């Protein structure tokens, strides 16, 4: 599957766009982005417009699979909020223009699993006291990015204890990792190389959330915002 400028990607077998390891990305000079991040980024991995179009297609796939069932959308904060908001809006638009009405309630859970650009062994779940409300419900978890899958597996384990009727997972990004048993969501937008990315609400120590494109941060940016 080729995108603008020759995006080195192909259609994945699990309904996702696969961006190859040798994809050089887009030059930052081709796009506008916040001036306070000048010098902190390597390149644009996925432009905002492609994210929007891909999210619209994911919404169509999810709406077709869910039918007219009521669902609880569980947004994983903080990185998932922008993807979740856009995905839910697309699903609502499809529902309004369809004979099948999808009733959605959006709830939130916050996970913390990174220190700087390194994944931590221990994952913290904030807001899990409310998970008991998911009993007997159709749940769609919306995440920004899945790497090793350890964080998502831990969250799913907690949710499954509450005995929901159904659980589906949608993630904007999936990282290719060396782990052969890595978790695969039911829906995902892009499979990317094992690199650290920011933008479209994905952060590095709370910075870069206001960046519309998904970009690769450089060493200067990591050093500048390290904690």
């Amino acid at each position: 599957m080729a995108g603008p400028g020759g995006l080195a990607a192909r259609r994945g077998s699990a309904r996702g766009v696969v961006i190859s390891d040798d994809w050089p990305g887009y030059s930052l000079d081709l796009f506008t982005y916040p001036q306070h991040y000048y010098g902190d980024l390597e390149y644009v991995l996925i432009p905002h417009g492609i994210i929007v179009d891909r999210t619209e297609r994911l919404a169509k796939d999810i709406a077709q699979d869910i039918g007219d069932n009521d669902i609880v959308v569980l947004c994983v904060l903080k990185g998932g909020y922008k993807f979740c908001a856009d995905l839910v809006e697309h699903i609502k638009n499809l529902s309004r223009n369809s004979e099948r009405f999808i009733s959605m309630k959006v709830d939130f859970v916050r996970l913390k699993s990174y220190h700087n650009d390194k994944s931590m062994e221990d994952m913290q779940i904030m807001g899990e006291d409310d998970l008991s409300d998911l009993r007997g419900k159709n749940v769609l978890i919306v995440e920004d990015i899945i790497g090793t899958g350890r964080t998502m597996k831990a969250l799913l384990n907690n949710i499954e204890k509450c005995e929901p009727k159904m659980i589906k997972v949608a993630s904007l990004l999936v990282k290719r990792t060396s782990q052969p048993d890595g978790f695969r969501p039911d829906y995902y937008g892009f499979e990317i190389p094992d690199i650290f990315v920011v933008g479209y609400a994905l952060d590095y120590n709370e910075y870069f959330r206001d960046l519309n494109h998904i970009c690769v941060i450089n060493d200067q940016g990591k050093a500048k915002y390290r904690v």
Side-chain angles (χ1 to χ4, degrees), residues 52 55-56 59-60 63 84-104:
V52 171
T55 302
E56 186 174 9
K60 181 179 179 181
C84 183
D86 290 347
L87 184 68
V88 166
E89 188 61 31
H90 282 307
I91 294 174
K92 284 182 177 179
N93 288 337
L94 289 168
S95 177
R96 280 193 286 263
N97 297 314
S98 169
E99 295 179 356
R100 299 184 304 176
F101 177 73
I102 302 173
S103 174
M104 289 186 294

Side-chain angles (χ1 to χ4, degrees), residues 193-213:
D194 191 7
I195 51 179
F196 194 85
V197 293
V198 294
Y200 195 68
L202 281 81
D203 77 306
Y204 177 81
N205 294 328
E206 297 301 325
Y207 291 92
F208 301 100
R209 294 195 193 277
D210 55 335
L211 180 65
N212 279 336
H213 316 294

Side-chain angles (χ1 to χ4, degrees), residues 76-79 109-114 123-126 143 151-152 155:
V76 179
L77 297 174
K78 295 180 183 177
V109 64
R110 186 177 174 190
L111 309 180
K112 186 172 178 61
S113 60
Y114 271 88
M123 185 268 296
Q124 299 172 312
I125 302 178
M126 287 154 274
E143 174 68 289
T151 300
M152 182 54 64
L155 177 59

Side-chain angles (χ1 to χ4, degrees), residues 21-112:
D21 289 342
D22 59 357
W23 166 234
Y26 296 94
S27 169
L28 292 162
D29 295 336
L30 297 173
F31 300 93
T32 58
Y33 61 100
Q35 188 170 355
H36 49 270
Y37 295 137
Y38 281 24
D40 299 331
L41 302 167
E42 286 282 354
Y43 57 86
V44 176
L45 183 71
I46 311 173
H48 181 250
I50 295 178
I51 298 170
V52 171
D53 288 350
R54 182 75 187 109
T55 302
E56 186 174 9
R57 178 52 199 257
L58 285 176
K60 181 179 179 181
D61 292 340
I62 292 169
Q64 287 177 340
D65 291 348
I66 289 173
D68 55 0
N69 292 306
D70 294 345
I71 59 171
V72 175
V73 178
L74 188 63
C75 175
V76 179
L77 297 174
K78 295 180 183 177
Y81 79 84
K82 196 166 182 60
F83 173 52
C84 183
D86 290 347
L87 184 68
V88 166
E89 188 61 31
H90 282 307
I91 294 174
K92 284 182 177 179
N93 288 337
L94 289 168
S95 177
R96 280 193 286 263
N97 297 314
S98 169
E99 295 179 356
R100 299 184 304 176
F101 177 73
I102 302 173
S103 174
M104 289 186 294
K105 174 191 174 185
V106 180
D107 216 331
F108 303 91
V109 64
R110 186 177 174 190
L111 309 180
K112 186 172 178 61

